[in-house]
Amino acid sequence: MSTVNEIIEKLKTLTLLEASELVSQIEETFGVDASAPVGGGVMMAAMPIAGGVEAAPKEEEKTLFDLVLEEIPADKKVGIYKVVRNIANIAVNQVKEFTATLPKVLKESVSKEEAEAAKQQLEQAGAKVKIV
């Protein structure tokens, strides 16, 4: 039986308390955070690799963005409502209700180009907008 299989078999016999203690010791020993929301092996990314050099966690490039409408100045509502209606693809009578509470996500998970284009339209109409 390989070392990995032996470890897995031992892990299966741990109580919750023992498993919690194990996680704490692993975090302390390897300088990792088991609760960190990182894809892939969190512990593996911080463990030393050949030559004693630590692997740096690879940061993923963001490809999808949300467009957030933050503020609509009272004197520019009509123009902004027209742009919001076109961007959100909603009926005229829904725009006021849709924008009643701000900030509000206007577009979700769109490309950077689409978010930038919509942001530019809204800013030209006088709205305060951000891309997240």
Side-chain angles (χ1 to χ4, degrees):
M1 186 181 263
S2 75
T3 305
V4 173
N5 287 336
E6 288 175 27
I7 293 170
I8 295 296
E9 290 306 312
K10 284 226 184 230
L11 288 174
K12 288 179 183 178
T13 65
L14 294 179
T15 65
L16 287 176
L17 180 60
E18 291 169 328
S20 176
E21 289 173 6
L22 175 64
V23 169
S24 295
Q25 287 186 14
I26 289 173
E27 288 176 329
E28 190 176 301
T29 302
F30 296 106
V32 296
D33 181 0
S35 65
V38 177
V42 172
M43 292 189 331
M44 294 304 292
M47 287 185 172
I49 57 174
V53 178
E54 286 193 16
K58 190 175 183 181
E59 192 172 312
E60 291 184 29
E61 186 175 325
K62 190 170 180 176
T63 57
L64 297 176
F65 300 85
D66 294 344
L67 180 68
V68 180
L69 180 59
E70 294 187 309
E71 188 180 320
I72 299 175
D75 62 329
K76 308 224 179 187
K77 280 186 178 183
V78 175
I80 294 170
Y81 282 178
K82 288 178 183 179
V83 177
V84 168
R85 183 176 156 242
N86 289 333
I87 291 172
N89 199 23
I90 56 178
V92 173
N93 60 344
Q94 296 174 312
V95 175
K96 188 174 181 180
E97 183 182 322
F98 182 80
T99 59
T101 56
L102 297 177
K104 177 86 140 200
V105 175
L106 192 55
K107 295 284 260 179
E108 288 185 285
S109 301
V110 295
S111 69
K112 180 135 179 115
E113 294 78 22
E114 186 177 346
E116 289 287 351
K119 179 181 179 190
Q120 184 178 9
Q121 290 175 15
L122 286 160
E123 286 177 338
Q124 285 176 349
K128 184 176 177 190
V129 188
K130 72 177 177 181
I131 298 174
V132 291

